[in-house]
Amino acid sequence: MRKYYLDNLRWLIILILFPYHVLLIYSSVGSYYFHAANSVIANTFILTFAPWFMQLLFAIAGIATFYSLKRRDAKQYLEERISKLLLPTVAGVILVIPVSVYFGYLFNGYTGSFLTFWLSFLVTGHITWK
């Protein structure tokens, strides 16, 4: 039986992720690839949600796993998780994350090409420069 309140909590938390990560650029809380300003609004937003929203998302994932395993066996569950989580994660690590990290490095003075950056990022997991 589907738990719609869990679905609603999940999508609300996912919506919080977008402004949270954007406001990190304007916040003095924590570190990010680059920092544009210190905003009281950004700091308030970050400090309001940071202590609890990811923990709630993981708790909901655990609850969903409990109910999911009641409907399917472990093999079916694992196949579903691989197709829904592992493949998009690998694609993101190869295609999306290097782009955002590259822009952060450019902001901080990196002058190399994206191709050089991307290959170094994939092989070593970090870039040495300066």
Side-chain angles (χ1 to χ4, degrees), residues 47-67:
L47 292 172
T48 299
F49 289 103
W52 61 268
F53 81 106
M54 285 305 293
Q55 290 84 343
L56 181 58
L57 190 61
F58 281 106
I60 291 169
I63 295 167
T65 297
F66 173 78
Y67 286 113

Side-chain angles (χ1 to χ4, degrees), residues 37-55:
N38 286 330
S39 166
V40 173
I41 294 170
N43 288 339
T44 303
F45 187 89
I46 300 295
L47 292 172
T48 299
F49 289 103
W52 61 268
F53 81 106
M54 285 305 293
Q55 290 84 343

